[in-house]
Amino acid sequence: MTAQNSTSSRAWVWGTAAAVGLAMIGLGAYFVHVGLNRSNTISGVLGLFVSILGLAVSIFAAVQGRAALPRANPNGATRMSQQSGANSTNIQAAGDMTIGDSNRFGER
């Protein structure tokens, strides 16, 4: 991340926090003005819409995360191999893995 991106990201976060803070203060002042009974009704409706929006965002994130998962090979196993350096090898596989004798380290 460059210094320019960091500065613009930080400004965006502070601007969003200030806008949300001002909205909360304004909403509180409005609720004091309209009274407790009416503000309770309005809060319930706003809570419904916020929860529906949260559900929609979570479904969208789950679908996007699922699409980013690697696809399995035709035989059903996901396998990846990587080498670096002279004698270094890293092999990763999905599914059941057996390490040593019956998954027990140091026993024979």
Side-chain angles (χ1 to χ4, degrees):
M1 182 183 278
T2 63
Q4 179 65 27
N5 288 343
S6 176
T7 304
S8 64
S9 175
R10 188 174 297 137
W12 187 85
V13 168
W14 277 105
T16 302
V20 168
L22 288 175
M24 291 294 135
I25 291 171
L27 197 57
Y30 176 72
F31 284 162
V32 168
H33 176 71
V34 297
L36 186 60
N37 195 25
R38 180 129 168 93
S39 64
N40 186 26
T41 306
I42 294 170
S43 296
V45 172
L46 286 176
L48 171 72
F49 285 118
V50 167
S51 62
I52 290 172
L53 179 66
L55 179 64
V57 167
S58 66
I59 290 171
F60 177 75
V63 169
Q64 290 291 30
R66 183 89 173 136
L69 291 176
R71 302 285 180 221
N73 290 337
N75 62 5
T78 302
R79 188 167 176 86
M80 183 173 86
S81 177
Q82 163 188 342
Q83 285 189 339
S84 62
N87 295 320
S88 174
T89 302
N90 177 17
I91 298 174
Q92 298 173 346
D96 295 336
M97 291 179 60
T98 303
I99 301 172
D101 262 348
S102 301
N103 288 333
R104 288 175 287 203
F105 290 104
E107 295 183 18
R108 297 238 178 209

Coordinates of all heavy atoms in Angstrom, one line a residue:
M1 N 0.8 -1.2 0.0 CA 0.0 0.0 0.0 C 0.9 1.2 0.0 O 1.8 1.4 0.8 CB -0.9 0.0 1.2 CG -1.9 1.1 1.3 SD -2.9 1.1 2.8 CE -4.2 0.0 2.3
T2 N 0.6 2.1 -0.9 CA 1.4 3.3 -1.0 C 0.9 4.4 0.0 O -0.1 4.2 0.6 CB 1.4 3.9 -2.4 OG1 0.0 4.3 -2.7 CG2 1.9 2.9 -3.4
A3 N 1.7 5.4 0.2 CA 1.4 6.5 1.1 C 0.1 7.2 0.7 O -0.8 7.6 1.5 CB 2.5 7.5 1.3
Q4 N -0.1 7.4 -0.6 CA -1.2 8.0 -1.2 C -2.5 7.2 -0.9 O -3.5 7.7 -0.5 CB -1.1 8.3 -2.7 CG -2.3 8.9 -3.4 CD -2.5 10.4 -2.8 OE1 -1.6 11.0 -2.4 NE2 -3.7 10.8 -2.9
N5 N -2.4 5.9 -1.1 CA -3.6 5.0 -0.9 C -3.9 5.0 0.6 O -5.1 5.0 1.0 CB -3.3 3.6 -1.3 CG -3.3 3.5 -2.8 OD1 -3.8 4.3 -3.5 ND2 -2.7 2.4 -3.3
S6 N -2.9 5.0 1.5 CA -3.1 5.0 2.9 C -3.8 6.3 3.3 O -4.7 6.3 4.2 CB -1.8 4.8 3.6 OG -2.0 4.9 5.0
T7 N -3.4 7.4 2.8 CA -4.0 8.7 3.2 C -5.4 8.8 2.7 O -6.3 9.2 3.5 CB -3.1 9.8 2.6 OG1 -1.8 9.7 3.0 CG2 -3.7 11.2 3.0
S8 N -5.7 8.4 1.5 CA -7.1 8.5 1.0 C -8.0 7.5 1.7 O -9.1 7.8 1.9 CB -7.1 8.2 -0.6 OG -6.7 6.9 -0.9
S9 N -7.4 6.3 2.0 CA -8.2 5.3 2.8 C -8.5 5.8 4.2 O -9.7 5.7 4.6 CB -7.4 4.0 2.9 OG -8.1 3.1 3.6
R10 N -7.6 6.4 4.8 CA -7.8 7.0 6.1 C -8.8 8.1 6.1 O -9.7 8.2 7.0 CB -6.4 7.5 6.7 CG -6.5 7.9 8.2 CD -5.2 8.2 8.7 NE -4.3 7.0 8.7 CZ -3.0 7.0 8.4 NH1 -2.5 8.2 8.0 NH2 -2.3 5.9 8.4
A11 N -8.7 9.0 5.1 CA -9.7 10.1 4.9 C -11.1 9.5 4.7 O -12.1 10.1 5.2 CB -9.2 11.0 3.8
W12 N -11.2 8.5 3.9 CA -12.5 7.9 3.6 C -13.1 7.3 4.9 O -14.3 7.5 5.2 CB -12.3 6.8 2.6 CG -13.6 6.2 2.1 CD1 -14.4 6.7 1.1 CD2 -14.3 5.0 2.6 NE1 -15.5 5.9 1.0 CE2 -15.5 4.9 1.9 CE3 -14.0 4.1 3.6 CZ2 -16.3 3.8 2.2 CZ3 -14.8 3.1 3.9 CH2 -16.0 3.0 3.1
V13 N -12.3 6.6 5.8 CA -12.7 6.1 7.0 C -13.2 7.2 8.0 O -14.3 7.1 8.6 CB -11.7 5.2 7.7 CG1 -12.0 4.8 9.1 CG2 -11.4 3.9 6.8
W14 N -12.4 8.2 8.1 CA -12.8 9.3 9.0 C -14.0 10.0 8.5 O -14.9 10.4 9.2 CB -11.6 10.3 9.1 CG -10.6 9.9 10.2 CD1 -9.4 9.4 9.9 CD2 -10.8 9.9 11.6 NE1 -8.8 9.0 11.1 CE2 -9.6 9.4 12.2 CE3 -11.9 10.3 12.4 CZ2 -9.5 9.2 13.5 CZ3 -11.7 10.1 13.8 CH2 -10.5 9.6 14.3
G15 N -14.1 10.2 7.2 CA -15.3 10.9 6.6 C -16.6 10.0 6.8 O -17.6 10.6 7.2
T16 N -16.5 8.7 6.7 CA -17.6 7.8 6.9 C -18.0 7.9 8.4 O -19.2 7.9 8.7 CB -17.3 6.4 6.5 OG1 -16.9 6.4 5.1 CG2 -18.4 5.5 6.7
A17 N -17.0 7.8 9.3 CA -17.3 7.9 10.7 C -17.9 9.2 11.1 O -18.9 9.2 11.9 CB -16.0 7.7 11.5
A18 N -17.5 10.3 10.5 CA -18.1 11.6 10.8 C -19.6 11.6 10.3 O -20.5 12.1 11.0 CB -17.3 12.7 10.2
A19 N -19.8 11.1 9.1 CA -21.2 11.1 8.5 C -22.1 10.2 9.4 O -23.3 10.6 9.7 CB -21.1 10.6 7.1
V20 N -21.6 9.1 9.8 CA -22.4 8.2 10.6 C -22.7 8.8 12.0 O -23.8 8.8 12.5 CB -21.8 6.8 10.8 CG1 -22.4 6.0 11.9 CG2 -21.8 6.1 9.5
G21 N -21.7 9.5 12.6 CA -21.9 10.2 13.8 C -22.9 11.3 13.7 O -23.8 11.4 14.6
L22 N -22.8 12.1 12.7 CA -23.8 13.2 12.5 C -25.2 12.6 12.2 O -26.2 13.2 12.7 CB -23.4 14.0 11.3 CG -22.2 14.9 11.6 CD1 -21.8 15.7 10.3 CD2 -22.5 15.9 12.7
A23 N -25.3 11.5 11.5 CA -26.6 10.9 11.3 C -27.2 10.4 12.6 O -28.4 10.5 12.9 CB -26.5 9.7 10.3
M24 N -26.4 9.8 13.5 CA -26.9 9.3 14.8 C -27.3 10.5 15.7 O -28.4 10.4 16.3 CB -25.8 8.6 15.5 CG -25.4 7.2 14.9 SD -26.8 6.1 15.1 CE -26.9 5.5 13.4
I25 N -26.6 11.6 15.7 CA -27.0 12.8 16.4 C -28.3 13.3 15.9 O -29.2 13.7 16.7 CB -25.9 13.8 16.4 CG1 -24.7 13.3 17.2 CG2 -26.3 15.2 17.0 CD1 -23.4 14.2 17.1
G26 N -28.4 13.4 14.6 CA -29.6 13.9 14.0 C -30.8 13.0 14.2 O -31.9 13.5 14.5
L27 N -30.6 11.7 14.2 CA -31.7 10.8 14.4 C -32.1 10.8 15.9 O -33.3 10.8 16.2 CB -31.2 9.4 14.1 CG -32.3 8.3 13.9 CD1 -33.3 8.7 12.8 CD2 -31.6 7.0 13.5
G28 N -31.2 11.0 16.8 CA -31.5 11.1 18.2 C -32.3 12.4 18.5 O -33.3 12.4 19.3
A29 N -31.9 13.5 17.9 CA -32.6 14.7 18.0 C -34.0 14.6 17.5 O -35.0 15.1 18.1 CB -31.9 15.9 17.3
Y30 N -34.2 13.9 16.3 CA -35.5 13.7 15.8 C -36.4 12.9 16.7 O -37.6 13.2 16.9 CB -35.4 13.1 14.4 CG -36.7 12.8 13.7 CD1 -37.5 13.8 13.3 CD2 -37.1 11.5 13.6 CE1 -38.7 13.5 12.7 CE2 -38.3 11.2 13.0 CZ -39.2 12.2 12.6 OH -40.4 11.9 12.0
F31 N -35.8 11.8 17.3 CA -36.6 11.0 18.2 C -37.0 11.7 19.4 O -38.1 11.5 19.9 CB -35.8 9.7 18.5 CG -35.7 8.7 17.4 CD1 -34.7 7.7 17.5 CD2 -36.6 8.7 16.4 CE1 -34.6 6.7 16.5 CE2 -36.5 7.7 15.4 CZ -35.5 6.8 15.4
V32 N -36.2 12.6 19.9 CA -36.6 13.4 21.1 C -37.7 14.3 20.7 O -38.7 14.5 21.4 CB -35.4 14.2 21.6 CG1 -35.8 15.3 22.6 CG2 -34.4 13.3 22.3
H33 N -37.7 14.8 19.5 CA -38.7 15.8 19.0 C -40.1 15.1 18.8 O -41.1 15.6 19.1 CB -38.3 16.4 17.7 CG -39.3 17.3 17.0 ND1 -39.6 18.5 17.6 CD2 -40.0 17.2 15.9 CE1 -40.6 19.1 16.8 NE2 -40.8 18.3 15.8
V34 N -40.1 13.9 18.2 CA -41.4 13.2 17.9 C -42.0 12.4 19.1 O -43.1 12.1 19.1 CB -41.3 12.2 16.7 CG1 -40.9 13.0 15.5 CG2 -40.3 11.1 17.0
G35 N -41.2 12.1 20.1 CA -41.7 11.5 21.3 C -41.3 10.0 21.3 O -41.0 9.4 20.3
L36 N -41.5 9.4 22.5 CA -41.1 8.0 22.7 C -41.9 7.0 21.9 O -41.3 6.1 21.4 CB -41.1 7.7 24.2 CG -40.6 6.4 24.7 CD1 -39.1 6.3 24.3 CD2 -40.8 6.2 26.2
N37 N -43.2 7.1 21.9 CA -44.0 6.1 21.2 C -43.7 6.1 19.7 O -43.5 5.0 19.1 CB -45.5 6.4 21.5 CG -46.4 5.2 21.1 OD1 -45.9 4.1 21.1 ND2 -47.6 5.5 20.9
R38 N -43.7 7.3 19.1 CA -43.5 7.3 17.6 C -42.1 6.9 17.3 O -41.8 6.3 16.3 CB -43.8 8.7 17.1 CG -43.6 8.9 15.7 CD -44.8 9.5 15.0 NE -44.5 9.9 13.6 CZ -44.6 9.2 12.6 NH1 -45.1 8.0 12.7 NH2 -44.4 9.6 11.4
S39 N -41.1 7.3 18.1 CA -39.7 7.0 17.9 C -39.5 5.5 18.0 O -38.7 4.9 17.3 CB -38.8 7.7 18.8 OG -39.0 7.4 20.1
N40 N -40.2 4.8 18.9 CA -40.2 3.4 19.0 C -40.6 2.7 17.7 O -40.0 1.7 17.2 CB -41.0 2.9 20.2 CG -40.8 1.4 20.5 OD1 -39.8 0.8 20.1 ND2 -41.8 0.8 21.1
T41 N -41.7 3.2 17.2 CA -42.2 2.6 15.9 C -41.2 2.8 14.8 O -41.0 1.9 14.0 CB -43.6 3.3 15.6 OG1 -44.5 3.1 16.7 CG2 -44.2 2.7 14.3
I42 N -40.7 4.0 14.7 CA -39.8 4.3 13.6 C -38.5 3.5 13.7 O -38.0 3.0 12.8 CB -39.4 5.8 13.6 CG1 -40.7 6.6 13.2 CG2 -38.3 6.1 12.6 CD1 -40.5 8.1 13.4
S43 N -38.0 3.3 15.0 CA -36.8 2.5 15.2 C -37.1 1.1 14.8 O -36.2 0.4 14.3 CB -36.5 2.6 16.7 OG -36.1 3.9 17.1
G44 N -38.3 0.5 15.1 CA -38.6 -0.8 14.7 C -38.5 -1.0 13.2 O -38.0 -2.0 12.7
V45 N -39.1 -0.1 12.4 CA -39.1 -0.1 11.0 C -37.7 0.0 10.4 O -37.2 -0.7 9.5 CB -40.0 0.9 10.4 CG1 -39.9 1.0 8.9 CG2 -41.5 0.7 10.8
L46 N -36.9 1.0 11.0 CA -35.5 1.1 10.5 C -34.7 -0.1 10.8 O -33.9 -0.5 10.0 CB -34.9 2.3 11.2 CG -35.3 3.7 10.7 CD1 -34.7 4.8 11.6 CD2 -35.0 3.9 9.3
G47 N -34.9 -0.7 12.0 CA -34.2 -2.0 12.4 C -34.5 -3.1 11.4 O -33.7 -3.9 11.0
L48 N -35.8 -3.2 10.9 CA -36.2 -4.2 9.9 C -35.4 -4.0 8.6 O -34.8 -5.0 8.1 CB -37.7 -4.1 9.7 CG -38.2 -5.0 8.5 CD1 -38.1 -6.4 8.9 CD2 -39.6 -4.5 8.1
F49 N -35.3 -2.8 8.2 CA -34.6 -2.5 6.9 C -33.1 -2.8 7.0 O -32.5 -3.3 6.1 CB -34.9 -1.1 6.4 CG -36.3 -1.0 5.8 CD1 -37.2 -0.1 6.4 CD2 -36.7 -1.7 4.7 CE1 -38.5 0.0 5.8 CE2 -37.9 -1.6 4.2 CZ -38.9 -0.8 4.7
V50 N -32.5 -2.4 8.2 CA -31.1 -2.6 8.4 C -30.8 -4.1 8.4 O -29.8 -4.6 7.9 CB -30.6 -1.9 9.6 CG1 -29.2 -2.4 10.1 CG2 -30.6 -0.4 9.4
S51 N -31.7 -4.9 9.1 CA -31.5 -6.3 9.2 C -31.6 -7.0 7.8 O -30.9 -7.9 7.4 CB -32.4 -7.0 10.2 OG -33.7 -6.8 9.9
I52 N -32.6 -6.6 7.0 CA -32.8 -7.1 5.6 C -31.5 -6.8 4.8 O -31.0 -7.6 4.0 CB -34.1 -6.6 5.0 CG1 -35.3 -7.2 5.7 CG2 -34.1 -6.8 3.5 CD1 -36.6 -6.6 5.2
L53 N -31.0 -5.5 4.9 CA -29.8 -5.2 4.2 C -28.6 -6.0 4.6 O -27.8 -6.5 3.8 CB -29.5 -3.7 4.4 CG -28.3 -3.1 3.7 CD1 -28.5 -3.2 2.2 CD2 -28.0 -1.7 4.2
G54 N -28.5 -6.3 5.9 CA -27.4 -7.1 6.4 C -27.5 -8.5 5.9 O -26.5 -9.1 5.6
L55 N -28.7 -9.1 5.8 CA -28.9 -10.4 5.3 C -28.5 -10.4 3.8 O -27.9 -11.4 3.4 CB -30.4 -10.8 5.5 CG -30.7 -12.2 4.9 CD1 -30.0 -13.3 5.6 CD2 -32.3 -12.4 5.0
A56 N -28.9 -9.4 3.1 CA -28.6 -9.4 1.6 C -27.1 -9.3 1.5 O -26.5 -10.0 0.6 CB -29.3 -8.2 1.0
V57 N -26.4 -8.5 2.3 CA -24.9 -8.4 2.1 C -24.3 -9.7 2.5 O -23.3 -10.1 1.9 CB -24.4 -7.2 3.0 CG1 -22.9 -7.2 3.2 CG2 -24.9 -5.9 2.4
S58 N -24.8 -10.4 3.5 CA -24.1 -11.6 3.9 C -24.3 -12.7 2.9 O -23.4 -13.5 2.6 CB -24.6 -12.1 5.3 OG -26.0 -12.4 5.2
I59 N -25.5 -12.7 2.3 CA -25.7 -13.7 1.2 C -24.8 -13.4 0.0 O -24.2 -14.3 -0.6 CB -27.2 -13.7 0.8 CG1 -28.1 -14.3 1.9 CG2 -27.4 -14.5 -0.5 CD1 -29.6 -14.2 1.6
F60 N -24.7 -12.1 -0.3 CA -23.8 -11.7 -1.4 C -22.4 -12.1 -1.1 O -21.7 -12.7 -2.0 CB -23.9 -10.2 -1.7 CG -23.0 -9.7 -2.7 CD1 -23.2 -9.9 -4.1 CD2 -21.8 -9.0 -2.4 CE1 -22.4 -9.5 -5.0 CE2 -21.0 -8.5 -3.3 CZ -21.2 -8.8 -4.7
A61 N -21.9 -11.9 0.1 CA -20.5 -12.3 0.5 C -20.3 -13.8 0.4 O -19.3 -14.3 0.0 CB -20.2 -11.7 1.9
A62 N -21.3 -14.5 0.9 CA -21.2 -16.0 0.8 C -21.1 -16.5 -0.6 O -20.3 -17.4 -0.9 CB -22.4 -16.6 1.6
V63 N -21.9 -15.9 -1.5 CA -21.9 -16.4 -2.9 C -20.6 -16.0 -3.5 O -20.0 -16.8 -4.2 CB -23.1 -15.7 -3.7 CG1 -22.9 -15.9 -5.1 CG2 -24.4 -16.3 -3.2
Q64 N -20.1 -14.8 -3.2 CA -18.8 -14.4 -3.8 C -17.6 -15.2 -3.2 O -16.7 -15.6 -4.0 CB -18.5 -12.9 -3.5 CG -19.4 -12.0 -4.2 CD -19.2 -11.9 -5.7 OE1 -18.7 -12.9 -6.3 NE2 -19.4 -10.8 -6.3
G65 N -17.7 -15.5 -2.0 CA -16.6 -16.4 -1.4 C -16.7 -17.8 -1.9 O -15.6 -18.4 -2.1
R66 N -17.8 -18.3 -2.2 CA -18.0 -19.6 -2.7 C -17.4 -19.7 -4.1 O -16.8 -20.7 -4.5 CB -19.4 -20.0 -2.7 CG -19.7 -21.4 -3.2 CD -19.6 -22.3 -2.0 NE -20.1 -23.7 -2.4 CZ -19.4 -24.8 -2.1 NH1 -18.4 -24.7 -1.3 NH2 -19.8 -25.9 -2.5
A67 N -17.7 -18.6 -4.9 CA -17.2 -18.6 -6.3 C -15.6 -18.5 -6.3 O -15.0 -18.9 -7.3 CB -17.8 -17.4 -7.0
A68 N -15.0 -18.0 -5.3 CA -13.6 -17.8 -5.3 C -12.8 -19.1 -4.9 O -11.6 -19.2 -5.0 CB -13.2 -16.7 -4.3
L69 N -13.6 -20.1 -4.4 CA -12.9 -21.4 -4.0 C -12.4 -22.1 -5.2 O -12.9 -22.1 -6.3 CB -13.9 -22.3 -3.3 CG -14.4 -21.8 -1.9 CD1 -15.5 -22.7 -1.4 CD2 -13.2 -21.7 -0.9
P70 N -11.2 -22.8 -5.0 CA -10.7 -23.6 -6.1 C -11.6 -24.8 -6.5 O -12.2 -25.3 -5.6 CB -9.3 -24.0 -5.6 CG -9.4 -24.0 -4.1 CD -10.4 -22.9 -3.8
R71 N -11.6 -25.1 -7.7 CA -12.4 -26.2 -8.2 C -11.6 -27.5 -8.0 O -10.4 -27.6 -8.2 CB -12.8 -26.1 -9.6 CG -13.6 -24.8 -9.9 CD -15.0 -25.0 -9.4 NE -15.8 -23.8 -9.7 CZ -16.6 -23.2 -8.8 NH1 -16.8 -23.8 -7.7 NH2 -17.3 -22.2 -9.1
A72 N -12.3 -28.6 -7.7 CA -11.7 -29.9 -7.5 C -11.3 -30.5 -8.8 O -11.9 -30.2 -9.9 CB -12.6 -30.8 -6.7
N73 N -10.3 -31.4 -8.8 CA -10.0 -32.1 -10.0 C -11.1 -33.1 -10.4 O -12.0 -33.4 -9.5 CB -8.7 -32.9 -9.7 CG -7.5 -32.0 -9.6 OD1 -7.5 -30.9 -10.1 ND2 -6.5 -32.5 -9.0
P74 N -11.1 -33.7 -11.6 CA -12.2 -34.6 -11.9 C -12.3 -35.8 -11.0 O -13.3 -36.4 -10.8 CB -11.8 -35.0 -13.3 CG -10.9 -34.0 -13.9 CD -10.2 -33.4 -12.7
N75 N -11.1 -36.2 -10.4 CA -11.2 -37.3 -9.5 C -11.6 -36.9 -8.1 O -11.6 -37.8 -7.2 CB -9.8 -38.0 -9.4 CG -8.7 -37.1 -8.9 OD1 -9.0 -36.0 -8.5 ND2 -7.5 -37.6 -9.0
G76 N -11.9 -35.7 -7.8 CA -12.5 -35.2 -6.6 C -11.5 -34.7 -5.6 O -11.8 -34.2 -4.5
A77 N -10.2 -34.7 -5.9 CA -9.2 -34.3 -5.0 C -8.6 -33.0 -5.5 O -8.3 -32.8 -6.7 CB -8.0 -35.3 -4.9
T78 N -8.3 -32.1 -4.6 CA -7.6 -30.8 -4.9 C -6.2 -31.0 -4.5 O -5.9 -31.4 -3.3 CB -8.3 -29.6 -4.1 OG1 -9.6 -29.6 -4.4 CG2 -7.6 -28.3 -4.4
R79 N -5.3 -30.7 -5.4 CA -3.9 -31.0 -5.1 C -3.1 -29.8 -5.6 O -3.3 -29.3 -6.7 CB -3.4 -32.3 -5.7 CG -2.1 -32.7 -5.3 CD -1.9 -34.2 -5.8 NE -0.5 -34.6 -5.5 CZ -0.1 -35.1 -4.3 NH1 -1.0 -35.2 -3.4 NH2 1.1 -35.5 -4.2
M80 N -2.1 -29.4 -4.9 CA -1.2 -28.3 -5.3 C 0.2 -28.6 -4.9 O 0.4 -29.1 -3.8 CB -1.6 -27.0 -4.6 CG -0.9 -25.8 -5.1 SD -1.6 -24.3 -4.4 CE -0.8 -24.2 -2.9
S81 N 1.2 -28.4 -5.7 CA 2.6 -28.7 -5.4 C 3.4 -27.4 -5.7 O 3.1 -26.7 -6.7 CB 3.1 -29.9 -6.3 OG 4.4 -30.1 -6.0
Q82 N 4.4 -27.1 -4.9 CA 5.2 -25.9 -5.1 C 6.6 -26.2 -4.7 O 6.8 -26.9 -3.7 CB 4.6 -24.8 -4.2 CG 5.4 -23.7 -3.9 CD 4.8 -22.8 -2.8 OE1 3.6 -22.9 -2.5 NE2 5.6 -21.9 -2.2
Q83 N 7.5 -25.7 -5.4 CA 9.0 -25.9 -5.1 C 9.6 -24.5 -5.0 O 9.3 -23.6 -5.8 CB 9.7 -26.7 -6.1 CG 9.3 -28.2 -6.0 CD 10.2 -29.0 -7.0 OE1 10.7 -28.5 -7.9 NE2 10.3 -30.3 -6.6
S84 N 10.6 -24.4 -4.1 CA 11.4 -23.2 -4.0 C 12.7 -23.6 -3.4 O 12.8 -24.5 -2.6 CB 10.7 -22.2 -3.1 OG 10.6 -22.6 -1.8
G85 N 13.7 -22.9 -3.9 CA 15.1 -23.2 -3.4 C 15.6 -24.5 -4.0 O 15.0 -25.1 -5.0
A86 N 16.7 -25.0 -3.5 CA 17.3 -26.2 -4.1 C 16.6 -27.5 -3.7 O 16.4 -28.3 -4.6 CB 18.8 -26.2 -3.7
N87 N 16.3 -27.6 -2.5 CA 15.7 -28.9 -2.0 C 14.4 -28.7 -1.2 O 14.0 -29.6 -0.5 CB 16.7 -29.6 -1.1 CG 18.0 -30.0 -1.9 OD1 17.9 -30.5 -3.0 ND2 19.1 -29.9 -1.3
S88 N 13.7 -27.7 -1.4 CA 12.5 -27.4 -0.6 C 11.3 -27.7 -1.5 O 11.2 -27.3 -2.6 CB 12.5 -25.9 -0.3 OG 11.3 -25.6 0.3
T89 N 10.4 -28.5 -0.9 CA 9.2 -28.9 -1.6 C 8.0 -28.8 -0.7 O 8.0 -29.2 0.5 CB 9.2 -30.4 -2.1 OG1 10.3 -30.5 -3.0 CG2 7.9 -30.7 -2.9
N90 N 6.9 -28.2 -1.1 CA 5.7 -28.0 -0.4 C 4.5 -28.6 -1.2 O 4.2 -28.2 -2.3 CB 5.4 -26.5 -0.1 CG 4.2 -26.2 0.6 OD1 3.6 -27.1 1.2 ND2 3.7 -25.0 0.6
I91 N 3.9 -29.6 -0.6 CA 2.8 -30.3 -1.3 C 1.5 -30.1 -0.4 O 1.6 -30.4 0.8 CB 3.0 -31.8 -1.6 CG1 4.3 -31.9 -2.5 CG2 1.8 -32.4 -2.2 CD1 4.7 -33.3 -2.7
Q92 N 0.4 -29.6 -1.0 CA -0.8 -29.5 -0.2 C -1.9 -30.3 -0.9 O -2.0 -30.3 -2.2 CB -1.2 -28.0 -0.2 CG -0.2 -27.2 0.5 CD -0.5 -25.7 0.4 OE1 -1.4 -25.3 -0.4 NE2 0.1 -24.9 1.2
A93 N -2.8 -30.9 -0.2 CA -3.9 -31.7 -0.7 C -5.1 -31.5 0.1 O -5.0 -31.3 1.3 CB -3.5 -33.1 -0.8
A94 N -6.3 -31.5 -0.5 CA -7.5 -31.4 0.3 C -8.1 -32.8 0.5 O -7.8 -33.7 -0.3 CB -8.5 -30.5 -0.5
G95 N -8.9 -32.9 1.5 CA -9.4 -34.2 1.8 C -8.7 -34.9 2.9 O -8.0 -34.3 3.7
D96 N -8.7 -36.2 2.9 CA -8.1 -37.0 4.0 C -6.6 -37.0 3.7 O -6.1 -37.3 2.6 CB -8.6 -38.4 4.1 CG -10.0 -38.4 4.5 OD1 -10.5 -37.5 5.2 OD2 -10.8 -39.4 4.2
M97 N -5.8 -36.8 4.7 CA -4.3 -36.9 4.6 C -3.8 -37.8 5.6 O -4.2 -37.8 6.8 CB -3.7 -35.5 4.7 CG -4.0 -34.5 3.6 SD -3.2 -32.9 3.9 CE -1.5 -33.3 3.9
T98 N -2.8 -38.6 5.3 CA -2.1 -39.5 6.2 C -0.7 -39.0 6.3 O 0.0 -38.9 5.3 CB -2.2 -41.0 5.7 OG1 -3.5 -41.3 5.5 CG2 -1.5 -41.9 6.7
I99 N -0.3 -38.7 7.5 CA 1.1 -38.3 7.8 C 1.7 -39.3 8.7 O 1.3 -39.5 9.8 CB 1.1 -36.9 8.5 CG1 0.3 -35.9 7.6 CG2 2.5 -36.5 8.8 CD1 0.1 -34.6 8.3
G100 N 2.7 -40.0 8.1 CA 3.4 -41.0 8.9 C 2.5 -42.3 9.1 O 1.7 -42.6 8.3
D101 N 2.7 -42.9 10.2 CA 1.9 -44.1 10.5 C 0.6 -43.8 11.2 O 0.7 -43.3 12.4 CB 2.7 -45.1 11.4 CG 3.4 -46.2 10.6 OD1 3.1 -46.3 9.5 OD2 4.3 -46.8 11.2
S102 N -0.5 -43.9 10.6 CA -1.8 -43.7 11.2 C -1.9 -42.3 11.9 O -2.5 -42.2 13.0 CB -2.1 -44.8 12.2 OG -2.1 -46.1 11.6
N103 N -1.3 -41.3 11.3 CA -1.4 -40.0 11.8 C -0.8 -39.8 13.2 O -1.2 -39.0 13.9 CB -2.8 -39.4 11.8 CG -3.3 -39.1 10.4 OD1 -2.5 -38.9 9.5 ND2 -4.6 -39.2 10.2
R104 N 0.2 -40.6 13.5 CA 0.9 -40.5 14.8 C 2.3 -40.1 14.5 O 3.0 -40.8 13.8 CB 0.8 -41.8 15.6 CG -0.5 -42.1 16.1 CD -0.5 -43.5 16.8 NE -0.4 -44.4 15.7 CZ -0.8 -45.7 15.7 NH1 -1.3 -46.2 16.9 NH2 -0.8 -46.5 14.7
F105 N 2.7 -39.0 15.1 CA 4.1 -38.5 14.9 C 5.1 -39.3 15.8 O 4.8 -39.4 17.0 CB 4.2 -37.0 15.2 CG 3.5 -36.2 14.2 CD1 2.2 -35.6 14.4 CD2 4.0 -36.0 12.9 CE1 1.6 -34.9 13.5 CE2 3.4 -35.3 12.0 CZ 2.2 -34.7 12.3
G106 N 6.2 -39.7 15.3 CA 7.3 -40.2 16.1 C 7.1 -41.7 16.6 O 7.9 -42.2 17.2
E107 N 5.9 -42.3 16.2 CA 5.7 -43.7 16.7 C 5.9 -44.6 15.5 O 5.6 -44.2 14.3 CB 4.3 -43.8 17.2 CG 4.1 -43.1 18.5 CD 2.7 -43.3 19.1 OE1 2.1 -44.3 18.7 OE2 2.3 -42.5 19.9
R108 N 6.4 -45.8 15.7 CA 6.5 -46.7 14.6 C 5.8 -48.0 14.9 O 5.6 -48.4 16.0 CB 8.0 -47.0 14.4 CG 8.8 -45.8 14.0 CD 9.4 -46.0 12.7 NE 10.1 -44.7 12.4 CZ 10.3 -44.4 11.2 NH1 9.9 -45.1 10.2 NH2 10.8 -43.2 10.9

